[in-house]
Amino acid sequence: MLNKNSPLPMYYQIEENLKQRMDTGEYTPGDMIPSERELSEFYDVSRMTVRQAVTNMVNDGYLYREKGKGTFVAESKIEQPLQGMTSFTEDMKQRGMDASNKLLGFETIPATHEIARKLHLKDNQEVYRIQRIRYADEQPMAIETTFIPKTLIPDLNEELVQGSLYNHIEKRLPIANATQVIEATIADEHQSQLLEVPPLSAVLHIERNSFLQDGTPFEVVKSAYRADRYKFISDIYRS
């Protein structure tokens, strides 16, 4: 099973073999993997070597532990390229997943100084604040709060925001580009409940400022994505 003459460490070979067994369907999401003792006997290595391999896979999001129960195969992460500007609904459709929303709040409020500055508005000018949970195949992926100038889309209502906002906006306004900032944070109690993750779980805080073709900013979006289900990929080039 393992090549003990290989320069690759034993723990790394175990990781790769377990990933291969997950890829072939021997272990599927939610399955409990064998115990450290069973894996050490199977691979004919020490339990310390197995523990290092399993811990690495937990840290990388392939596995998760439940205290007093065991170690289980995690759901695969959704890969989101950083190139291109797409909506959550479009992202999920491209992956063959069913996107849905749960509306937490829809209201018109006076813009704070921060939001007004990013949307090129005057302080206290009216904006929509839309709060939603975004789901993929009925699993919560993100909590999203969107701010849009009311003057840009005066007819926006609760029914429209249940679907893809971008589809509605692009019927009258040409979307061009966005600036996006991603930071790692810890979920607070409220976020943990909504995302159905343990308290203090890692989340990806993403803030997007989006613009129309004429340079007018049309939205600020603040999102908290589950770090155990989402990862971002970027192609980079040496200039």
Side-chain angles (χ1 to χ4, degrees):
M1 186 64 66
L2 304 182
N3 182 1
K4 296 191 176 182
N5 295 320
S6 170
L8 296 174
M10 290 294 102
Y11 71 82
Y12 177 82
Q13 293 186 54
I14 293 172
E15 290 178 47
E16 293 304 301
N17 182 258
L18 287 173
K19 290 175 188 176
Q20 184 179 34
R21 295 164 75 179
M22 290 158 61
D23 289 340
T24 59
E26 183 177 349
Y27 296 136
T28 60
D31 286 349
M32 183 171 70
I33 67 168
S35 66
E36 288 183 2
R37 178 184 59 79
E38 292 170 319
L39 288 174
S40 66
E41 292 176 357
F42 180 78
Y43 290 114
D44 190 25
V45 295
S46 69
R47 290 181 65 172
M48 184 176 296
T49 300
V50 168
R51 185 175 300 123
Q52 184 172 359
V54 171
T55 297
N56 288 347
M57 294 183 71
V58 169
N59 292 338
D60 290 340
Y62 291 98
L63 303 171
Y64 66 94
R65 291 188 174 106
E66 288 193 6
K67 191 173 181 179
K69 293 184 179 180
T71 304
F72 300 82
V73 178
E75 293 279 357
S76 59
K77 291 189 177 185
I78 295 172
E79 297 183 353
Q80 173 61 47
L82 289 175
Q83 295 80 20
M85 185 179 176
T86 55
S87 69
F88 180 86
T89 301
E90 292 166 341
D91 290 339
M92 295 307 106
K93 285 183 177 180
Q94 289 174 4
R95 290 162 177 75
M97 304 178 78
D98 182 37
S100 58
N101 307 305
K102 179 179 179 180
L103 187 63
L104 300 176
F106 176 82
E107 58 185 336
T108 301
I109 63 168
T112 63
H113 177 72
E114 176 208 1
I115 297 300
R117 177 176 57 82
K118 291 177 179 177
L119 291 175
H120 297 180
L121 304 175
K122 296 178 181 178
D123 287 358
N124 297 319
Q125 192 169 337
E126 287 190 327
V127 295
Y128 297 110
R129 180 170 64 186
I130 306 155
Q131 296 176 293
R132 298 179 292 179
I133 303 177
R134 312 306 298 268
Y135 292 86
D137 288 345
E138 300 184 350
Q139 289 195 339
M141 291 291 172
I143 305 166
E144 185 178 275
T145 303
T146 303
F147 301 89
I148 297 176
K150 187 175 181 181
T151 53
L152 278 181
I153 315 174
D155 64 341
L156 199 59
N157 56 49
E158 288 192 20
E159 182 179 354
L160 290 172
V161 301
Q162 296 285 3
S164 173
L165 271 175
Y166 278 19
N167 284 345
H168 179 69
I169 292 170
E170 285 189 305
K171 290 177 181 178
R172 64 187 76 186
L173 300 169
I175 297 173
N177 62 289
T179 299
Q180 190 163 263
V181 177
I182 304 173
E183 296 180 293
T185 60
I186 299 296
D188 59 30
E189 184 176 351
H190 182 62
Q191 291 173 330
S192 297
Q193 292 174 353
L194 294 178
L195 293 174
E196 299 177 12
V197 296
L200 303 179
S201 293
V203 294
L204 297 171
H205 176 77
I206 302 171
E207 183 167 323
R208 175 187 284 191
N209 200 176
S210 307
F211 302 86
L212 303 175
Q213 284 185 5
D214 64 2
T216 301
F218 74 89
E219 71 168 358
V220 172
V221 185
K222 298 185 178 185
S223 306
Y225 278 80
R226 287 177 53 164
D228 66 328
R229 292 303 317 278
Y230 232 82
K231 62 182 177 182
F232 289 83
I233 299 174
S234 177
D235 294 323
I236 58 177
Y237 302 90
R238 181 175 174 83
S239 59

